[in-house]
Amino acid sequence: MTVSRAFTRMRSAPRLFVVFGVGALILASCTAAPTSAPRALGTPAFSISVPLTNVGCTRNDVCVAVGTSSVSVGPNAVGEYASPGGRWFHLTLPPSPSPVVDAAACSGTTCLFGGSGPRSDLLWLFNANGDTVDALTAPPGGIGIESLACHDLICALVDTGVAGDVPRLSVSSDGGRTWGAPTALPWAKGEAVTTLSCGTLLACAIGTLSATHQFSLRVTEDGGTTWSTRPTPSAWTSLRSLSCAARRCVALASEGETSALVRSRTFTRTWSSLTLPAQANTLACTTFSTCFVAGQRSNGAGWLARVHDRAVTTVQLRYVPTPLLGAACGTKVCAAVGVTTVLSIPSTL
């Protein structure tokens, strides 16, 4: 081989290396593994004798979970709260004989928990700034709060009056510390309230179930003076986790054996629907377009998914052996609870 030919081959070698290198990079980009599904770890609750059932998250991303039990051999009410970083701590609850907590709603840096005591409304206020829970004065004459809703400082509750079968609506403009006079809802006599939300101080929507399991959705836009029935799809058997801001509403609808995330831009006049791949028990949203749905798989294990517009992304869960019963979102953090499990995740998960 002449020196000139050998030099020519040596000069060609780097070019061949570059060609093969670029080709390998292109091939790698075409065959790269898909992005893995988001993951989240459950944390055992501090108490295993009292199930956690209700959870809320403040706008400054402190989440709080509460549960009550009438059959516990120890405490009959337990609570814990999570810092924005996701670490959970014990929470001391107000002393109360046989408390029952059925509802939660948050506003700003506080959360309300409502339910019943012995023949009375029970209303607690969690303050994220001090990590404390205090008993509040509920509207007079109630024997049990069925539903709570807050948006900014506007809060509303539905309780049952002393007659025992006529629900009442009360509204607060200071985050639940004081309440206006209750307004009776005679059209809901004997019915169970499944959901409540107020988009403004005057505009509220209430879903109810009759004794024969007939679902109805009614709205007021004058603070409860008049109510009208909203037609809903015939497939809906119930509506839960309703959340309205101005005229935009998001909720969970049951459609026989399936669950659907439903949205309205017309304050419940019309809806769009997205069928979910598992049974959803609860819903929490950071925006109109982005929500977390929590529930259970067919084998009874917990299930969680993030829904953005119409895209559903299932979150891979570990150490969540039972169904998720409650969910809530702050600004950047969301939380979910099962009977003996708490879960704190970034809202951008």
Side-chain angles (χ1 to χ4, degrees):
M1 180 184 295
T2 65
V3 173
S4 61
R5 289 177 61 191
F7 183 73
T8 300
R9 290 188 178 183
M10 291 174 64
R11 292 176 60 189
S12 301
R15 287 200 292 266
L16 290 172
F17 178 80
V18 171
V19 170
F20 284 122
V22 172
L25 288 173
I26 294 174
L27 181 61
S29 67
C30 293
T31 59
T35 303
S36 60
R39 299 174 181 270
L41 299 177
T43 301
F46 289 121
S47 171
I48 60 173
S49 60
V50 179
L52 295 172
T53 54
N54 293 273
V55 62
C57 294
T58 65
R59 299 304 295 171
N60 63 341
D61 292 319
V62 176
C63 298
V64 55
V66 170
T68 55
S69 173
S70 60
V71 297
S72 174
V73 295
N76 55 12
V78 297
E80 48 190 284
Y81 71 95
S83 66
R87 184 180 177 187
W88 290 86
F89 302 89
H90 280 286
L91 184 65
T92 301
L93 300 177
S96 176
S98 60
V100 176
V101 172
D102 292 318
C106 296
S107 173
T109 60
T110 61
C111 292
L112 293 175
F113 289 91
S116 61
R119 297 293 296 176
S120 66
D121 283 351
L122 177 146
L123 188 62
W124 290 342
L125 177 73
F126 169 77
N127 190 324
N129 290 329
D131 303 328
T132 59
V133 179
D134 297 306
L136 294 182
T137 300
I143 59 172
I145 295 172
E146 297 183 61
S147 193
L148 276 166
C150 288
H151 178 66
D152 293 330
L153 290 178
I154 301 170
C155 293
L157 67 80
V158 172
D159 65 358
T160 302
V162 291
D165 58 357
V166 178
R168 314 178 309 166
L169 174 69
S170 301
V171 179
S172 169
S173 60
D174 58 6
R177 290 173 174 82
T178 61
W179 297 86
T183 300
L185 307 175
W187 47 263
K189 182 177 181 179
E191 297 185 356
V193 174
T194 63
T195 194
L196 160 72
S197 186
C198 295
T200 69
L201 186 62
L202 298 178
C204 298
I206 294 177
T208 62
L209 275 178
S210 70
T212 57
H213 303 287
Q214 296 299 307
F215 166 69
S216 296
L217 179 64
R218 297 178 177 89
V219 301
T220 180
E221 298 190 66
D222 56 15
T225 301
T226 60
W227 294 84
S228 59
T229 301
R230 287 281 203 256
T232 56
S234 58
W236 290 10
T237 55
S238 71
L239 196 70
R240 291 164 289 137
S241 299
L242 179 64
S243 176
C244 296
R247 304 195 69 78
R248 290 186 167 192
C249 299
V250 186
L252 278 178
S254 296
E255 299 177 341
E257 299 297 321
T258 63
S259 302
L261 187 151
V262 296
R263 296 184 176 102
S264 175
R265 298 175 183 270
T266 57
F267 193 55
T268 75
R269 292 182 184 276
T270 58
W271 298 88
S272 63
S273 179
L274 175 64
T275 300
L276 299 169
Q279 180 181 331
N281 296 325
T282 185
L283 168 75
C285 299
T286 55
T287 67
F288 180 72
S289 301
T290 303
C291 303
F292 280 88
V293 285
Q296 62 200 72
R297 298 179 180 274
S298 57
N299 63 359
W303 173 77
L304 182 71
R306 185 175 183 266
V307 182
H308 180 68
D309 291 331
R310 298 189 65 82
V312 181
T313 302
T314 297
V315 180
Q316 299 299 315
L317 299 178
R318 293 188 66 188
Y319 311 122
V320 185
T322 59
L324 293 173
L325 305 175
C329 285
T331 303
K332 298 179 181 179
V333 171
C334 296
V337 297
V339 173
T340 58
T341 306
V342 290
L343 188 69
S344 181
I345 54 176
S347 60
T348 55
L349 187 69

